[in-house]
Amino acid sequence: MKPVYFDNNATTKVDPRVLEAMLPYFTEQFGNASSLHAFGAEVGAAVKGARRDLQALLGAEHDHEIVFTSGGTEGDNAAILSALEASPRRREVITSAVEHPAVLSLCAWLEKNRGVKVHVIPVDAKGRLDMAAYEAALSERVAIVSIMWANNETGTLFPVAKLAEMAKPYGILFHTDAVQAVGKVPMDLKSTAIDMLSLSGHKLHAPKGIGALYVRRGTRFRPQIKGGQQERGRRAGTENTPGIVALGVAARLAGDYMAEENGRVRGLRDRLEKGLLQRIPSCFATGDVENRLPNTANVAFEFVEGEGILLLLNRAGIAASSGSACTSGSLEPSHVLRAMSIPYTAAHGAIRFSLSRDSSGEEVDRVIEAMPGIIEKLRALSPFWDGSGAASAFNPVYA
Amino acid sequence: MWDYSDKVKDYFFNPKNAGLLADANAVGEVGAIACGDALKLMLKVDPATDVITEARFQTFGCGSAIASSSALTEIVIGKTLDEALALTNQDIADFLGGLPPEKMHCSVMGYEALQAAVAHYRGETWEDDHEEGALVCKCFGVDEGMIERAVRVNKLTAPEQVTFYTKAGGGCLTCFEAIEEVLARVNADMADEGLIEVTAAYRIGSVDPRSLKGKPRVNGAKAAPGAKSAAVAVPLSLTPPKESAPRQSPLASLVPPPSAPAPLTAVQRIKLIDKAIEELRPYLQQDGGDCELVDVDGNLVSVKLSGACIGCQMASVTISGVQQRLMEKLGMPLRVVPVK
């Protein structure tokens, strides 16, 4: 039986139409886009076309506001480092407690090694941003706000347009890591105050190794990769033309599938989540369920540990992911679930199912079918489960 | 996914001896749900022969924790209690065809549960009378004895290995110096006994704890609605500046270098510590918490947290902030521990 892939927030399968479009750029169309001869000119035109496709998906005002990068992490790094370099007298950064490590690790590094003050804005139990804390952190000492559009673990959406408006009066640049949101949430950047936005190709059916950073026209920007005039001097290095062409086609397809993503895929996700919550005792959906990505469900199963669930799912031919400690190599459960104060009894057993336009109803049924037995098997092994849903008495020697 | 041996996978997918043992007469329980794994080991011992005739387990934890628990029951059935006590966590790992290094703590959990179960059978107390001060890692509840045993049995010589085997230091890492101290002390003894090379023994200060962990603190860290407890944020200003005095061994203060100024008297020191804590209290009170000085014993400073600090998962972060602030103020290494 074909395996069920419900881990699309980790990465997606390259769409066959994307692959087909990019292949000639390895062979016949191998030219360097910067060259003046015919080899270069054709490739240059393809890069321009891809830039326009992304411009359309993001609702950007100009195509040259798109800077191609190697992916989301590079975009996040470039935006934050550039903002600090461009405003040397502003030595503070605002971010959230649930950002991707691409942002959080960089901020920790800046705090330790560059003396930058980092405001980490907390979230509530549903993963919603503490707006009062955000407002209190805004000042003219802040160079940049970097807050994600959608959370990768729970799918929770942040009100980035509003956050950007709030930052504007202080002259703060606003960056959003929109790696999970692009292609799933309709965007019209020209009507917002968002200055920069990072996206990654492999989250929307393009290959790994290509991404883009949107930089609003007129934004103070300092290149972090120096060495050439590519991308108008904002990102040196010969263009990854097969990747850029692929990202362009993927962006066009994402636009075409936007309605399906928010209709059919959302319906599948809701059915999956409802099915699990109905059939399995002592579990709950995490995040802001009213306001999240259409493809993501994060369900916390109490008194079991996530790695065991994933191993058993994998044996049943189902791929998902977990916020548990054991799967990541760290000893603590995911920083996102901890920031939401999800009790440890549940955080260790949180499983993320992330669907895509490739997902089918039959696959959803298979997961709904497989999960109750898996949870039951692990709970039967757990000293905390007594069948009633409450933690049973357990008196360890040290705890 | 982890690189598990076929035997680990087999013991996870088809665990032997899982479930309750109703007439068990030796029970060992270790770990906690907050820590990510816990094991209840139940044995039936024949009082006439001291032989373990039945063994069962219940485990909350990852695949290798379940496999290690099941393997442990298979190993001990048929053994006498003395034979069982001679087993080490390495025997569990070997039985399973090895465990990934980061997962060795799963085998140590089995070893600890076995020791606890035998102690229970014999009516002894198993290490549960430890003083607050003996608890090294507050995040994972690891005491000094457990680290000593793991270091000795597995010939560990690096702080990172101690984390892999016991989880100590896997959270906030404020216990790094305490781990170093235990590791260096046990290693020195082991070198004297010829168990390890003198050159292999760990020396305090040879690993920079900053290389092990780094994440920014959460602003204001207000409790989310429905959360059990409020997290008390330590103001960033409490973090010592990067160029602060080089890290010293906690033992260094016991033997002042010849050029050091006259050491403070005990009373002077307590006064200074008390003053520093008074200065910190307004920060904690802002977040609904509080802190008072209880006792000073050598380098060990006991404080009592109250208000929102009680039962707070972030309390260890608060304690570490207090510890850093005191060390800054007094210019000497100190260890701050909470008391009830």
Side-chain angles (χ1 to χ4, degrees):
Chain A
M1 215 178 342
K2 204 174 139 236
V4 177
Y5 184 75
F6 277 3
D7 199 11
N8 287 283
N9 286 10
T11 195
T12 56
K13 182 175 159 188
V14 174
D15 189 291
R17 289 160 286 184
V18 169
L19 179 68
E20 195 188 343
M22 75 186 288
L23 284 177
Y25 291 86
F26 288 104
T27 51
E28 301 98 68
Q29 305 285 351
F30 63 87
N32 186 325
S34 306
S35 305
L36 287 175
H37 46 65
F39 291 91
E42 284 178 37
V43 174
V47 169
K48 197 167 173 58
R51 215 181 289 281
R52 290 207 172 127
D53 288 331
L54 264 181
Q55 176 198 354
L57 181 66
L58 300 180
E61 183 138 31
H62 307 282
D63 65 350
H64 60 73
E65 291 174 329
I66 308 297
V67 179
F68 290 110
T69 65
S70 64
T73 301
E74 184 190 325
D76 292 342
N77 272 259
I80 294 170
L81 292 171
S82 159
L84 284 165
E85 191 183 331
S87 313
R89 278 194 261 180
R90 293 174 181 248
R91 305 307 296 159
E92 296 181 15
V93 170
I94 298 175
T95 187
S96 85
V98 296
E99 293 299 307
H100 189 274
V103 169
L104 277 185
S105 300
L106 174 66
C107 286
W109 183 87
L110 287 167
E111 189 171 51
K112 272 186 182 154
N113 299 293
R114 292 291 178 271
V116 171
K117 180 171 176 175
V118 180
H119 300 269
V120 183
I121 308 303
V123 297
D124 69 8
K126 285 186 160 185
R128 295 173 299 198
L129 202 68
D130 182 337
M131 296 299 278
Y134 175 69
E135 196 163 7
L138 295 170
S139 80
E140 289 181 355
R141 298 183 299 276
V142 177
I144 186 168
V145 172
S146 181
I147 289 185
M148 66 203 330
W149 198 308
N151 185 266
N152 48 316
E153 291 188 32
T154 63
T156 300
L157 299 168
F158 281 152
V160 283
K162 186 176 174 199
L163 297 171
E165 284 299 336
M166 289 166 73
K168 210 174 171 182
Y170 299 91
I172 303 170
L173 290 178
F174 190 92
H175 166 255
T176 180
D177 175 341
V179 160
Q180 297 293 346
V182 170
K184 296 172 199 145
V185 178
M187 292 180 182
D188 187 44
L189 292 179
K190 59 181 172 297
S191 67
T192 72
I194 294 168
D195 297 298
M196 291 187 272
L197 172 148
S198 309
L199 66 94
S200 175
H202 75 100
K203 308 285 192 195
L204 54 143
H205 305 276
K208 291 140 190 82
I210 186 69
L213 177 66
Y214 160 86
V215 183
R216 176 182 296 277
R217 184 181 172 191
T219 302
R220 304 180 296 278
F221 192 83
R222 300 286 180 276
Q224 299 306 305
I225 297 184
K226 303 163 188 77
Q229 278 309 304
Q230 293 89 351
E231 302 297 298
R232 295 191 169 205
R234 292 168 298 185
R235 204 275 190 183
T238 301
E239 297 86 345
N240 169 7
T241 45
I244 289 170
V245 169
L247 184 54
V249 176
R252 223 181 307 147
L253 290 171
D256 295 347
Y257 280 101
M258 187 73 75
E260 176 171 349
E261 195 78 51
N262 285 280
R264 188 183 69 90
V265 176
R266 182 187 293 272
L268 289 178
R269 188 273 315 268
D270 290 344
R271 184 150 73 80
L272 170 67
E273 190 169 275
K274 209 174 281 171
L276 295 176
L277 297 180
Q278 272 171 1
R279 283 164 195 238
I280 302 172
S282 295
C283 67
F284 58 90
T286 71
D288 187 2
V289 293
E290 301 301 322
N291 184 31
R292 58 175 165 166
L293 292 174
N295 76 319
T296 309
N298 188 308
V299 181
F301 301 93
E302 293 189 277
F303 313 117
V304 286
E305 210 282 330
E307 186 191 292
I309 302 173
L310 292 187
L311 289 170
L312 289 166
L313 275 175
N314 187 50
R315 196 170 64 154
I318 297 164
S321 77
S322 137
S324 101
C326 286
T327 48
S328 61
S330 129
L331 290 170
E332 292 186 319
S334 112
H335 70 285
V336 175
L337 300 178
R338 274 183 297 139
M340 290 159 62
S341 305
I342 303 267
Y344 278 86
T345 48
H348 286 292
I351 301 292
R352 176 186 73 186
F353 301 95
S354 45
L355 284 61
S356 81
R357 61 191 191 223
D358 297 333
S359 306
S360 72
E362 185 208 336
E363 291 179 316
V364 166
D365 291 338
R366 272 174 65 192
V367 176
I368 295 177
E369 204 63 35
M371 278 301 285
I374 288 173
I375 299 299
E376 207 176 310
K377 179 182 162 104
L378 291 171
R379 281 182 178 162
L381 292 174
S382 170
F384 299 109
W385 180 254
D386 65 1
S388 68
S392 51
F394 182 81
N395 303 304
V397 172
Y398 37 82
Chain B
M1 201 60 83
W2 296 103
D3 188 13
Y4 285 140
S5 71
D6 288 342
K7 207 155 176 195
V8 172
K9 285 184 207 156
D10 186 41
Y11 270 80
F12 167 69
F13 286 125
N14 309 299
K16 298 185 175 70
N17 311 316
L20 284 170
L21 183 58
D23 50 353
N25 53 6
V27 179
E29 295 184 345
V30 293
I33 204 160
C35 304
D37 46 23
L39 162 59
K40 180 174 184 177
L41 178 69
M42 293 150 278
L43 307 176
K44 198 173 159 190
V45 182
D46 181 342
T49 58
D50 253 12
V51 169
I52 299 168
T53 54
E54 274 185 82
R56 283 180 163 283
F57 76 93
Q58 283 186 311
T59 293
F60 166 85
C62 52
S64 56
I66 289 167
S68 296
S69 309
S70 180
L72 171 65
T73 57
E74 286 282 280
I75 295 171
V76 298
I77 292 174
K79 289 209 163 41
T80 66
L81 289 183
D82 286 336
E83 284 168 347
L85 279 182
L87 293 168
T88 70
N89 66 287
Q90 195 58 49
D91 293 316
I92 299 173
D94 290 346
F95 181 88
L96 288 169
L99 285 170
E102 298 87 346
K103 294 286 190 175
M104 283 303 287
H105 61 82
C106 296
S107 67
V108 173
M109 182 167 74
Y111 167 81
E112 297 278 314
L114 178 59
Q115 302 280 325
V118 175
H120 169 248
Y121 176 77
R122 291 182 169 167
E124 296 160 2
T125 327
W126 165 249
E127 293 289 325
D128 61 350
D129 55 349
H130 59 241
E131 305 281 313
E132 284 285 344
L135 199 62
V136 172
C137 170
K138 293 180 274 283
C139 297
F140 289 102
V142 183
D143 66 11
E144 207 169 310
M146 180 168 170
I147 296 179
E148 281 177 13
R149 289 188 292 276
V151 168
R152 211 162 242 290
V153 168
N154 299 287
K155 297 196 167 76
L156 309 182
T157 55
E160 191 190 31
Q161 289 175 319
V162 174
T163 306
F164 286 167
Y165 279 71
T166 67
K167 294 185 152 193
C172 69
L173 207 56
T174 49
C175 59
F176 182 81
E177 293 185 355
I179 292 175
E180 276 195 302
E181 198 184 331
V182 177
L183 179 62
R185 175 166 53 72
V186 177
N187 273 185
D189 291 348
M190 289 163 73
D192 287 346
E193 294 159 32
L195 295 173
I196 55 171
E197 294 290 324
V198 177
T199 49
Y202 182 74
R203 278 162 208 281
I204 286 173
S206 47
V207 170
D208 182 351
R210 283 176 309 186
S211 66
L212 301 178
K213 189 118 184 182
K215 45 184 158 179
R217 296 171 202 285
V218 175
N219 252 36
K222 272 193 233 136
K228 270 191 304 203
S229 54
V232 177
V234 178
L236 282 170
S237 57
L238 295 186
T239 318
K242 199 172 148 273
E243 58 277 9
S244 65
R247 226 157 37 74
Q248 275 180 293
S249 135
L251 299 171
S253 63
L254 301 176
V255 190
S259 60
L264 299 171
T265 67
V267 174
Q268 283 172 325
R269 211 152 54 126
I270 291 171
K271 274 189 175 165
L272 267 178
I273 292 171
D274 195 38
K275 187 162 161 263
I277 287 180
E278 284 303 316
E279 286 173 21
L280 276 174
R281 290 181 57 198
Y283 291 107
L284 299 171
Q285 285 161 354
Q286 269 175 15
D287 287 310
D290 207 347
C291 170
E292 64 176 293
L293 179 63
V294 176
D295 192 17
V296 178
D297 179 11
N299 286 354
L300 198 66
V301 180
S302 305
V303 297
K304 186 176 164 194
L305 294 176
S306 52
C309 298
I310 295 298
C312 171
Q313 292 284 0
M314 294 286 285
S316 57
V317 177
T318 306
I319 287 287
S320 96
V322 172
Q323 176 169 305
Q324 283 173 343
R325 180 55 173 261
L326 291 183
M327 291 200 293
E328 259 175 79
K329 283 258 165 198
L330 278 83
M332 62 188 313
L334 289 172
R335 209 164 111 63
V336 177
V337 295
V339 295
K340 292 210 176 85

